[in-house]
Every structure is written in structure tokens, then in C-alpha cells.
Amino acid sequence: MAQSRRPRRSGARRPASARPAPKAPVTDGPVIELEIERVAHGGVFVAHHEGRVVFVADAIPGERVVARIVDQGRDRFWRAETVEVLTASDDRREHVWPEASVDRAPEKRAGGAEFGHIRMPRQRALKADVLRDALARMGGVEHAVEVEPVDPALAPDVSIDEGTGWRTRVRLHVTPDGTVGPYAARSHTVVPVASLPLAVPALAALAPLGERFPGVRAIDLIAPSVGDPSLVAVGDERMPRGDRPTIEERVGDRAFRLDRDGFWQVHTGAAATLSRAVQELIDGDLFDPRAANHDLYGGVGLLAAAVGDRFGETVRITTVESDARATEHAGANLADWVGARAITARVDRYLDELDEKASAAERARLRDATIVLDPPRSGAGRAVVDRLAALRPRQLVYVACDPVALARDVGLLRERGYELQALRAFDLFPNTHHVEAVARLGAIV
């Protein structure tokens, strides 16, 4: 999910008057008792009531809870919020973020830590369940899944047991009267809080909790690995053209320059974790440094650099990214490799043109290629999968931040002659439902 899950586009903001009014949280829905059965994708849990599926927040499988129905607008299922735990799981703990605890009214619970009431080993097991189930249902693949914590050596200041202190980027929202806070869970209601336990300590100390910022839309807190953290007040004006503030991130011995408001992995150890995983999952016996290797959705060049660092200065690799600023940085960040190129293009259009115009020699180099792709949360999708399958590279290394999107694309690739050969999953978003996976798929001969 590794560094081009689409950079934030500073010039695409709407004026405040054009923003839709937040939907008021439901506080008077019916209250029922439910037996929680299993986890579902999206950080909620499955129960049944009178034959209807109910997706319940703030619960754990095996628990019996009292829940308020907050959405009855669908025939097939309802949504509910836990308001009381009658029979608690052994894996329930005090929430790591008091402002998100089940003890608070649902409409006042801070969002962004929906698994914070669950002990860490069970969190990872639940995420593995979601990914394994998605691969079976949508990908047609039965595959063992273990969600690994980040290597403490890559994030020494993060609490592995508590899953706190890892966020290097935090966005706080601001109400018209200037109140600062995160959104409440599953709503656009700003909730004042006194703590930010998921943030790295430097950001937790910098956060202007309790202060007022009238006339501001949001507050961005950014803690790069090089230099001081910063607080950026975000208005509704467009980002000015020309020079933009930049920051430096370091992964091992390598530095990456990017826009301050550009995309970078949020967990302090994520960039190094994903770089290492991509390096290890590439089948070295199939890798040809002189082939037409690619890094699709390449951002500022993190994964292209990981490939180059493993296979040496003779590597040819093209990184493709739709954001022109990110591509500009990628070109500079990859300057070590004579064979590296950075191209600004939408991936689907780039592959269309490649397939249309490639010579016989270029097609041969593409068939020998390794393709790394790190698409946005929605995944690569059918159009990109179709074109990749037509170009027929030897192996694909797919970095995914959404298990359902990954599973769908694995299924599409299986239909087109690629099989899932290896998979690793990482807990890069502790105390949330999100999980990052890296998969290798090889062409079936």
C-alpha cells in the first residue's frame, strides 16, 4: 500500500461551500443483542438478527453484545455499533485510545483505531482471516496467510505489544468554529480528543489538541525520517504553482526526496519493510537485469530503488506514475542507475501504448521482465490486468493495501495464466483493520 497509492493532489480541493454537509450520526436506532460470529472486511464483524446479516463495529468474534442499529436502509444487511459488551472475549483489552473506547457513545468515538480494543496477536489473526477468505472467495486460491508485525529493528520506537507510536502522518479536521480533532468513526463529525496514541511521539507532542484554528479546513502533521516534524494548516485555496515544500525520507542508506504533501508510507517502518519484502519475493532465477523491468504506480521510486539495490547497477527499470511531481522526484531519486527511467503517465494508458507500439525486440524484453506494481486501494483492475497478461512478463510482484482488491486481481490473473506463488502480509497499520500484502505471481508455462 509502496509509495504511490496516489499522492494527495493539493490542487483538487473544493471550496468549503461546495463540501457536502456531514451525515448526522444515528443515536436513536433500535437496540438489540447479538452474538458476534466472525470478522468481515472493513473493520466490522458479522452477526445475524432474525435472518438478516448485521455488520457490527467495536466487537470481537465470540462476544455477545448490545448494539444500536445505525443503518437499516438496505434489504440484505444492517449496520450497528456496540454499546455494551455482555460477554467479553479473552482478547478484549482496554482500548489503546480512550477517546475511541466502547465506553463512549458511538457518535463520540474517535475514528482510525477500530481494532484498538483487541489484543495485538488476535488483531493480526483477524486480518489474516480476512485476507485468506478474500483469496479463497474472489481469487479462487487457498493460501496460508500469516500477518507479520514490523521487524522491531526497522521501527525501534514503536510499541509492538500495544501497536502505538507508528503514524508519521496525521490529518486532524477543523470545524467552522475552529475546533480541532479527528473524525468520529464512520462519520464526518469532528471529535475533540486529548491524545493521539498511534502517532509517533514527535507528532503527538506537536498536535494542537485543545487549540482553535478558525478558517482552516484541516491540520496536517508530518514527521519525516530526516529533519524536524511540521504542522501545516490546510485551507481551501489551491496549492500555488511553482516550488513546493519538500522533505527527505531515508530507507537504510538511501534518501528519497518528495513533496511535503506527497505520498509516503505512514508507518515509520513501512517503507523499509516493503522494500525488503519486494527484494525477497522477486525470484532471482527469473530476474533479468537487462529486460524491460517496470515499477508501476511507482511514486517517487521507492520500489524501483529496492529492485536496483538488490540486482545492481546494470538493472534496467522504468517507473510509471501519473503524478508529475512524484515522477520528477523519482527521476532524481533513481539517478544512481543509468538504466532507470521515470515516466509520467496513467498506468492503463501507458500499457495500452506499450502494447500497441512495442517492436518484436521490445516484446521479447517485456516477456523477460519482472513487473512490480503498487496500485491504489482500488487495485489494478481488469484493464491493467488484461494488458499485463497480453505483454506476458515472467513474474509480477504485487503490493496491495486492500485484501479484496488483491484477491480480485489474483483471480483475474489466474484466468489469464498467472498463478500465486508466494505471499507475505504485514501489520503496517496496527489497531486498524488495514493490512498490507506483497504477492508474487508467475506465468504458467
Side-chain angles (χ1 to χ4, degrees), residues 239 363 370 392:
M239 176 69 74
R363 286 187 177 278
T370 294
R392 204 65 180 170

Side-chain angles (χ1 to χ4, degrees), residues 74-127:
R74 297 169 176 82
D75 292 335
R76 293 186 298 110
F77 62 87
W78 290 347
R79 294 190 180 276
E81 304 274 7
T82 298
V83 294
E84 183 183 355
V85 179
L86 300 177
T87 305
S89 166
D90 290 342
D91 292 307
R92 181 172 284 274
R93 64 177 180 181
E94 290 292 324
H95 204 293
V96 296
W97 196 0
E99 291 93 334
S101 171
V102 73
D103 297 331
R104 277 193 163 201
E107 67 275 11
K108 296 182 180 180
R109 293 174 197 164
E114 61 276 7
F115 276 9
H117 61 290
I118 308 172
R119 297 184 190 279
M120 293 305 302
R122 186 67 185 281
Q123 286 189 34
R124 293 192 284 270
L126 291 169
K127 295 177 187 187

